[in-house]
Amino acid sequence: MKPVAIFRHAPTEGPGYFATFLEANGVPWQLFAIDAGEAVPATPEAFSGLAFMGGPMSVNDPLPWVEAECALIRAAVRDGVPVIGHCLGGQLMAKALGGSVGRNPVKEIGWGEARVDASDTADTWLGDFRGDATVFQWHGETFTLPPGAVRLLHNEWCANQMFALGPHLAMQCHVEMTPEMIAAWCDSWQGEVAGLPALPPPVQTPRQMQAETAHRLPAMRRLADRLYAVWIGGLRR
């Protein structure tokens, strides 16, 4: 099988559990460290799928690789190569496919829930999941749904937490987190909340996040396993 190309945009925002899942299922992968200056491939031809991870920047920033990644996403969708995006990666997918990205009404940081939408598409991706699913959040912006996309998850703080478009999956939330990633991200928490007059309800402190990790992580892993299993089922062989 051709490898899954994984695009990293910040050193602390690597593939995490996503890579662990791929390896456990015999799926090879290749990392593109965009944060270290690696070039974006011109075409998706060499890959069975494309995965885009998170990052602290905005897809609306004038960064040279943003349009290159968007063009690659459009080419992959055209050619039937599955794409998956985590947070910034989901925003890149939305932007590339005709949606828009802008400020969310409130920041979401830390552990939370997202409600499963009722649709045949949600049933395909989420199976027996109903009601609220456990996810991790770290974002101040969000996406609108591109044409043809179906929303899978939402919550009261962010209307669009996840969408599917055929074999492609875009997430505003994070399901790839590991305890080590959470600890590393907590180091940047002070900067994330600077300027806020008060912490809004969906923003946890580092102490709260790390205290909840042990009992929250297994539930999120079950969600990740389901989503990733459906996604790799569409990989180009």
Side-chain angles (χ1 to χ4, degrees):
M1 176 188 284
K2 296 176 181 178
V4 169
I6 299 179
F7 296 86
R8 189 189 74 191
H9 308 104
T12 60
E13 301 205 28
Y17 182 67
F18 178 67
T20 301
F21 182 90
L22 294 182
E23 291 167 4
N25 287 274
V27 178
W29 57 277
Q30 179 180 348
L31 182 69
F32 287 85
I34 304 303
D35 55 274
E38 287 195 52
V40 177
T43 75
E45 183 179 358
F47 309 106
S48 61
L50 306 178
F52 296 85
M53 307 314 297
M57 62 290 293
S58 170
V59 301
N60 298 316
D61 291 341
L63 299 166
W65 50 264
V66 169
E67 182 48 42
E69 289 194 5
C70 286
L72 184 64
I73 290 167
R74 288 190 290 268
V77 171
R78 179 196 66 214
D79 296 346
V81 178
V83 183
I84 188 169
H86 303 74
C87 200
L88 177 76
Q91 294 171 358
L92 284 162
M93 291 175 65
K95 180 182 176 76
L97 301 176
S100 62
V101 176
R103 186 180 298 276
N104 196 56
V106 64
K107 283 193 173 186
E108 289 188 286
I109 297 176
W111 291 103
E113 287 78 35
R115 182 160 291 272
V116 177
D117 282 84
S119 70
D120 291 343
T121 301
D123 288 345
T124 296
W125 283 92
L126 293 159
D128 294 335
F129 280 89
R130 296 289 186 274
D132 290 336
T134 297
V135 295
F136 193 81
Q137 307 278 6
W138 202 290
H139 69 101
E141 293 189 319
T142 191
F143 49 67
T144 64
L145 301 182
V150 178
R151 191 180 72 178
L152 304 182
L153 294 176
H154 66 281
N155 67 15
E156 63 181 305
W157 311 112
C158 179
N160 299 314
Q161 290 283 352
M162 187 180 297
F163 71 77
L165 182 61
H168 316 292
L169 181 68
M171 294 173 275
Q172 183 56 73
C173 52
H174 293 271
V175 300
E176 81 282 13
M177 302 304 294
T178 65
E180 294 77 15
M181 290 171 69
I182 292 170
W185 292 15
C186 283
D187 289 341
S188 64
W189 182 86
Q190 201 67 50
E192 287 287 344
V193 302
L196 294 177
L199 295 185
V203 173
Q204 290 187 313
T205 66
R207 178 175 293 182
Q208 289 172 317
M209 283 182 254
Q210 296 191 63
E212 292 184 15
T213 294
H215 74 268
R216 293 270 209 167
L217 192 61
M220 189 173 70
R221 286 280 164 84
R222 290 192 291 274
L223 175 65
D225 285 344
R226 172 68 194 192
L227 294 169
Y228 292 159
V230 176
W231 187 77
I232 68 170
L235 293 178
R236 189 168 64 175
R237 306 288 166 171

